[in-house]
Amino acid sequence: MIMKNPFLTNKQSQESFDYSDGHTPEHIAIIMDGNGRWAEKRGMPRVAGHKEGLSTVVKVVKMAVKCQVKILTLYTFSTENWKRPKQEVDTILRLPKEFLSVYLPDLIANNVRIEAIGDLENLPAHTREAMQFAIDRTRDNNGLLLNMALNYGSRNEILHAMKGLLKDINDSNQSLDELDEQQFSNYLYTAGMKEPDLLIRTGGEKRLSNFLLWQLAYTEFWFTDVLWPDFSEMEFLRALKDYRQRKRRYGGI
Ligand code: FPP
């Protein structure tokens, strides 16, 4: 049976844009903020905003595939988000399974590989198992890497990396003088992934909220007041167009 593939059949933004331009960011990281306010503005419970936010995730993944982005990292649930009411936490942590149970066939058809970064062991079993299933099923794909930050906090990641590194150094004869940035970054959850070229934050706030503190050292930032459920294909392209104007010097001249 031929499956309907919304990734290929949906009408896309008609704005003129050269999707294959060599200056497209290879790795885009997104802080998807504003779900709660989107719902509150409509007199709806906050969880309705997270569900609507999932529709934006689907749109943005399609756009990333179309624009040949190599890595898309989505800040889905932070180590600090446990402080929210239980019902909200439960809803957010059910979304990965909901998303994958509907879209995994499309993601596979589009050669998307799924990964997760964060302290996955302390997630509910249903979230962990849905993620692991998708990671295993898409392991050999080499298109877009869809990287979901789940129970992720950058300070926690750096501490976790430090512990692993010190243990390995203790067990070996390596001198601390030989330790360099590359070796350290191999212990981060993002080991082997190119650092983000572009960080997008929706929802009007201008902060990093404990997201990828090591990895964003030379990343270009793009902020918008648009709330995540309202973030559209056009907004995504606006961020990419803006990125194309940036001159990245990495501390040089
Ligand atoms: C922040 O908005 C958003 C979150 C804490 C959750 C984001 C999760 C999704 C969009 C679903 C993603 C699902 C998958 C499968 C990738 P907020 O609640 O802090 O908004 P507010 O600042 O308006 O209160």
Side-chain angles (χ1 to χ4, degrees):
M1 190 182 84
I2 298 171
M3 286 194 55
K4 188 163 173 275
N5 187 340
F7 279 83
L8 300 177
T9 57
N10 272 13
K11 282 205 182 89
Q12 303 282 353
S13 158
Q14 294 303 306
E15 183 175 340
S16 77
F17 188 86
D18 180 3
Y19 296 101
S20 61
D21 183 292
H23 202 46
T24 295
E26 288 186 15
H27 184 172
I28 301 179
I30 308 186
I31 301 177
M32 309 180 285
D33 196 16
N35 293 342
R37 278 166 287 159
W38 183 92
E40 281 159 9
K41 267 174 44 181
R42 288 164 177 75
M44 295 156 89
R46 290 176 56 82
V47 293
H50 297 309
K51 288 181 184 162
E52 194 62 27
L54 186 55
S55 310
T56 306
V57 168
V58 174
K59 273 191 257 174
V60 167
V61 171
K62 283 185 208 172
M63 287 304 284
V65 168
K66 187 165 179 173
C67 296
Q68 297 173 19
V69 171
K70 294 205 165 87
I71 309 177
L72 179 67
T73 298
L74 300 178
Y75 205 6
T76 305
F77 188 82
S78 77
T79 46
E80 288 71 35
N81 286 153
W82 293 106
K83 293 179 201 153
R84 297 184 178 212
K86 185 174 181 310
Q87 191 211 4
E88 184 171 343
V89 168
D90 289 349
T91 300
I92 299 174
L93 292 179
R94 266 198 307 271
L95 292 179
K97 187 173 179 179
E98 260 177 50
F99 170 65
L100 292 166
S101 63
V102 176
Y103 289 104
L104 188 58
D106 290 332
L107 295 167
I108 292 172
N110 282 276
N111 198 19
V112 173
R113 180 157 72 91
I114 314 267
E115 262 302 342
I117 55 171
D119 174 10
L120 305 183
E121 279 173 25
N122 289 307
L123 286 169
H126 61 82
T127 315
R128 213 176 43 237
E129 284 161 15
M131 288 305 303
Q132 197 54 55
F133 182 75
I135 291 168
D136 292 342
R137 288 295 310 278
T138 61
R139 198 175 291 288
D140 296 329
N141 293 353
N142 60 7
L144 173 72
L145 170 57
L146 174 58
N147 186 31
M148 294 202 220
L150 273 165
N151 197 17
Y152 175 88
S154 196
R155 290 181 176 176
N156 166 283
E157 174 185 41
I158 290 170
L159 204 57
H160 174 267
M162 185 60 79
K163 287 178 187 167
L165 178 65
L166 288 179
K167 185 176 179 308
D168 286 353
I169 287 185
N170 266 339
D171 295 348
S172 73
N173 293 323
Q174 188 186 340
S175 141
L176 277 183
D177 292 336
E178 291 165 13
L179 180 58
D180 62 13
E181 292 179 10
Q182 181 57 52
Q183 188 183 355
F184 178 75
S185 65
N186 287 340
Y187 285 82
L188 296 169
Y189 294 130
T190 51
M193 290 179 202
K194 182 184 194 290
E195 289 168 5
D197 299 294
L198 176 65
L199 171 83
I200 296 174
R201 181 171 187 145
T202 62
E205 311 287 2
K206 294 184 178 62
R207 53 176 172 252
L208 289 181
S209 302
N210 202 14
F211 190 43
L212 301 174
L213 301 180
W214 171 280
Q215 296 88 340
L216 296 176
Y218 279 102
T219 300
E220 299 293 326
F221 290 2
W222 193 80
F223 297 104
T224 173
D225 289 338
V226 172
L227 305 175
W228 179 250
D230 291 329
F231 189 76
S232 62
E233 286 92 347
M234 292 282 279
E235 280 292 309
F236 183 80
L237 293 179
R238 273 187 59 216
L240 261 58
K241 279 186 170 169
D242 189 73
Y243 174 82
R244 289 178 181 186
Q245 313 306 318
R246 309 278 180 102
K247 298 269 178 293
R248 303 186 71 189
R249 289 190 290 274
Y250 301 95
I253 51 171

